[in-house]
Amino acid sequence: MIEAFSHAPDLPRGDPALLNKVAWRSRWEDRLKSVTYAKAALEHTGPDPSKHLKVARGYALVTLAWQAKWRGDFDASLAFSLEAETLLSEKDHPDARAHVYSILGVLHYSRNRLDLATCATDRGLKIAEPDKNTDAFVDLLLTRATILRYKGDRSRAGLSLGRARDIAEGAELARVEHNIARWMLSDDAFELGKKHSKTSLDLCERHANRVVLPYTYEVLGACHVDLHNFECAKAAFVKGLDLAISDKDFRAQCQIIQRYAALEYARGKLDRARDLNCYGAEIAAQIDYALWGREFALSLAQIYEDLGDLKSALSAHKRAWRFEKDRRT
């Protein structure tokens, strides 16, 4: 398990319900503070909490699962999510459970289980109410849009994104615009992708959304690569990677490195592109990020072909095929 923020300050003391509120409200702006307060609430409840403290423990686990998902610690996120499910019922805590289902959706599609991801998000959307559980509902819509995009259903993915944009508020708006930019990028609409990325950056600053920032820089840089604005792309990747490394966000690091490798490939720097892809593939393997492992394998296959290393190209193609074969839709 990857231990993020291992040098966190001493845990604060106080009522676990209050600690949980601080942890959740600070989740976008201050990742360290969010994790620290959630861990404090968790420690206060103990491993065998009373009925009253079970709820507090459950909410702390939801925050920790959310943070672990974003930074790519998928094993920890799954463990936190599953324990939270045992402590928080759908009937009494639909908002928290809806967030858990969205988290599970991301974890499953990240590991090539689009079928399980669909089941999780569908369940979450059944219990979340747009008016009462707005953030959770938006979270689920964005997760569903990503799943649909990976399934090739772009039109329905677009509808989910549009609905999310209509009801999103605050920090969630930055995430919505980022997802729209990624959707545009996947459709080769690079100018529109760049536009929505810049809107996301503005919203990240306005609403103090640090979590989404490295991912937005990733998409912005990728759009610049395809538009042949190589220096702009490099600047975006450097900013995003600095943030991802500072926050120990291994998922963002993985994705930005793959895009950075694409930049070097576009520049004709094949050796550099190869090395970056190999490094990123190691990170993907470490966190079991099958979705991006396939991207690295495909990129390496092309690079090895261009370098004339047909044996390595064949091996990379085989790895990519295994990832594709293991995908469940």
Side-chain angles (χ1 to χ4, degrees), residues 89-289:
S89 69
E90 289 184 359
K91 178 182 177 181
D92 296 328
H93 308 282
D95 190 75
R97 283 296 294 269
H99 277 292
V100 169
Y101 285 126
S102 184
I103 292 166
L104 290 173
V106 173
L107 298 179
H108 289 318
Y109 79 63
S110 295
R111 290 178 164 173
N112 267 343
R113 292 303 304 267
L114 301 181
D115 53 344
L116 296 179
T118 299
C119 289
T121 52
D122 285 351
R123 183 60 193 167
L125 288 166
K126 285 183 179 179
I127 65 172
E129 297 182 36
D131 296 333
K132 295 181 180 179
N133 319 117
T134 304
D135 283 357
F137 197 79
V138 169
D139 194 357
L140 285 158
L141 286 174
L142 296 176
T143 301
R144 182 172 70 174
T146 302
I147 295 166
L148 291 169
R149 175 164 55 82
Y150 282 123
K151 284 185 173 184
D153 194 343
R154 295 190 49 76
S155 59
R156 290 180 63 207
L159 289 173
S160 289
L161 289 172
R163 190 176 183 193
R165 184 167 56 179
D166 287 342
I167 63 175
E169 301 172 342
E172 291 284 354
L173 285 167
R175 185 183 170 203
V176 172
E177 285 295 322
H178 153 260
N179 274 264
I180 293 173
R182 193 176 292 277
W183 183 66
M184 294 294 183
L185 174 64
S186 69
D187 200 33
D188 296 338
F190 308 127
E191 284 289 354
L192 286 172
K194 184 178 71 172
K195 177 183 177 182
H196 284 282
S197 293
K198 289 183 175 180
T199 300
S200 178
L201 289 178
D202 291 341
L203 289 167
C204 282
E205 182 176 355
R206 187 186 311 170
H207 297 289
N209 190 326
R210 183 180 176 91
V211 174
V212 168
L213 263 178
Y215 297 91
T216 299
Y217 278 123
E218 172 220 332
V219 178
L220 176 61
C223 290
H224 278 307
V225 170
D226 287 307
L227 292 168
H228 301 285
N229 302 327
F230 295 151
E231 289 306 313
C232 291
K234 180 180 178 180
F237 292 146
V238 168
K239 289 179 182 178
L241 199 54
D242 284 348
L243 283 165
I245 292 172
S246 175
D247 286 353
K248 296 182 175 62
D249 188 330
F250 295 95
R251 184 168 70 142
Q253 290 177 42
C254 190
Q255 296 179 194
I256 295 169
I257 288 168
Q258 197 273 336
R259 304 289 193 186
Y260 210 136
L263 167 62
E264 299 293 42
Y265 181 82
R267 285 172 153 177
K269 299 180 180 180
L270 300 187
D271 290 341
R272 175 67 172 159
R274 176 200 60 206
D275 294 344
L276 282 170
N277 273 302
C278 287
Y279 177 57
E282 290 178 3
I283 297 176
Q286 181 186 3
I287 64 177
D288 193 14
Y289 197 3

Side-chain angles (χ1 to χ4, degrees), residues 306-320:
D306 292 347
L307 289 170
D309 187 348
L310 299 185
K311 181 178 179 181
S312 296
L314 178 59
S315 178
H317 273 298
K318 286 182 177 179
R319 286 198 302 275

